[in-house]
Amino acid sequence: MSSTKGLEGVVATQSAISSIIDDQLTYAGYRIDDLAENSSFEEVIYLLWNQKLPTESELKVLKTQLREEMALPEAVIAHLRSYDLSTVHPMAALRTAVSLLGLYDSEADEMSEDANKRKAVRLQARMATIVAAFSRIREGKDPVQPKDNLSFAANLLYMLNGEEPKGIEIEAINKALVLHADHELNASTFTARVCVATLSDMYSGVTAAISALKGPLHGGANERVMKMLTEIGEEENAVPYIQERLERKEKIMGMGHRVYRNGDPRAKHLKKMSKELTELTGQPKWYNMSVKIEEYIKKEKGLPANVDFYSASVYHSLGIDHDLFTPIFAVSRVSGWIAHILEQYANNRLIRPRAEYTGPQTQDYISIEKRS
């Protein structure tokens, strides 16, 4: 029995949710390019959960359900207010708040298909509200209630900023949500499936997934990209900064990807939005700097940008705090986590791999008084 480090290349399950084949990402067979350019995030949620695009009436029902379930229990709001907001990271707050949500859901441990679908809607809707409420509470402001006439993407920005967003801002966040919604068997999705394969509840599965996403090797790349851009400061500093980092053999975040060899197909969509938004906000340097870094890394290392690289300047241009980048990722990715959780429940087998033992072989037990 031999092992593969990091399970790279190991096929662990069968899934009809998304695929990465020949550097092309699809959701239920639909190309990510088509979805990013044409679909709303609500359509993608429905697609991932049902493996088909919704009709107009089906989409209307889902949009209504999501808006109706966005309100948080008062106890969760009170809990967010109790955090030490000067030190707690938003991902830790999100992880704890989602776990807490399960205590206030009478169906949390009800495992019927209908109950799980209702919980899916609640979790999808309330993740956005948690992130927005946490952001406002730590700014000393009251949480903002969603509006019935706004889309999911528009409500997310509205609840964060307290102002209805512009068309291009809605387009940008909608694209980001669509592009991050699912990505086959990534670390957080696999964590969610392992968790619920024990027949644990959906809240446990999503909490486990958030815990995996919290790690900087998975969900924190865009936050670290923006930190790098901020350190660089001006366009003329970009290439010298990267040269110095490479000479010290330091990793450049947002470059390359474990499963793509010829480039992340999602990156180009956010690159376009980055250009438009940074021009709109009068700070084109963030986009120009990013392009210079991408071109240099591609020339020196053969690594193109991944989806996290340009999402950094997109989120920054939307006025989103840098430490909220990964929680926003989670607001999108929960749609995929839930899809995988539902799929795991539908055809479950406990996930229990083996380990290749590398320790000492059989040893004789020595009584404690004879040990040296």
Side-chain angles (χ1 to χ4, degrees), residues 80-270:
L80 290 173
R81 293 186 188 279
S82 74
Y83 296 163
D84 182 351
L85 299 173
S86 64
T87 60
V88 68
H89 191 281
M91 280 299 286
L94 179 62
R95 177 195 62 209
T96 304
V98 168
S99 182
L100 188 63
L101 276 180
L103 300 182
Y104 298 95
D105 190 333
S106 61
E107 294 186 301
D109 293 315
E110 171 59 53
M111 297 297 283
S112 71
E113 184 177 344
D114 287 344
N116 279 331
K117 286 182 178 178
R118 289 190 291 270
K119 284 180 285 186
V121 171
R122 289 180 203 126
L123 270 162
Q124 180 68 65
R126 293 174 185 178
M127 286 272 285
T129 317
I130 290 170
V131 173
F134 174 84
S135 174
R136 292 186 65 81
I137 287 169
R138 73 174 178 176
E139 292 173 357
K141 302 173 183 176
D142 289 326
V144 171
Q145 295 302 310
K147 286 192 172 183
D148 288 343
N149 64 325
L150 296 182
S151 67
F152 187 97
N155 257 324
L156 175 59
L157 290 177
Y158 174 66
M159 289 190 296
L160 279 168
N161 300 323
E163 299 177 358
E164 288 199 28
K166 302 181 181 70
I168 189 174
E169 295 171 330
I170 298 170
E171 180 187 357
I173 197 67
N174 184 78
K175 263 188 184 19
L177 293 172
V178 167
L179 293 167
H180 285 105
D182 196 57
H183 206 229
E184 203 222 45
L185 212 58
N186 55 85
S188 55
T189 298
F190 186 58
T191 301
R193 293 191 76 132
V194 171
C195 179
V196 301
T198 68
L199 296 185
S200 191
D201 65 282
M202 190 178 291
Y203 288 97
S204 296
V206 172
T207 301
I210 294 170
S211 300
L213 185 67
K214 185 174 180 290
L217 292 183
H218 185 14
N222 48 16
E223 181 182 346
R224 292 169 72 183
V225 168
M226 201 61 223
K227 181 176 183 293
M228 175 181 70
L229 295 178
T230 304
E231 288 175 356
I232 292 170
E234 302 298 335
E235 293 176 41
E236 61 268 22
N237 300 332
V239 171
Y241 178 94
I242 297 300
Q243 286 175 327
E244 186 177 330
R245 291 279 295 270
L246 291 178
E247 286 171 4
R248 296 199 300 263
K249 301 190 182 305
E250 294 179 7
K251 183 178 176 64
I252 308 299
M253 300 306 294
M255 291 292 157
H257 198 283
R258 179 84 160 256
V259 297
Y260 296 116
R261 294 294 173 262
N262 299 306
D264 186 334
R266 302 168 295 175
K268 59 182 177 289
H269 298 285
L270 291 182

Side-chain angles (χ1 to χ4, degrees), residues 337-348:
W337 293 335
I338 289 170
H340 282 268
I341 287 170
L342 294 174
E343 187 177 63
Q344 186 69 38
Y345 282 149
N347 186 27
N348 189 53

Side-chain angles (χ1 to χ4, degrees), residues 306-325:
N306 61 42
V307 71
D308 293 315
F309 190 67
Y310 284 100
S311 70
S313 48
V314 167
Y315 290 165
H316 175 79
S317 298
L318 291 171
I320 298 171
D321 291 341
H322 299 172
D323 62 357
L324 292 179
F325 290 2

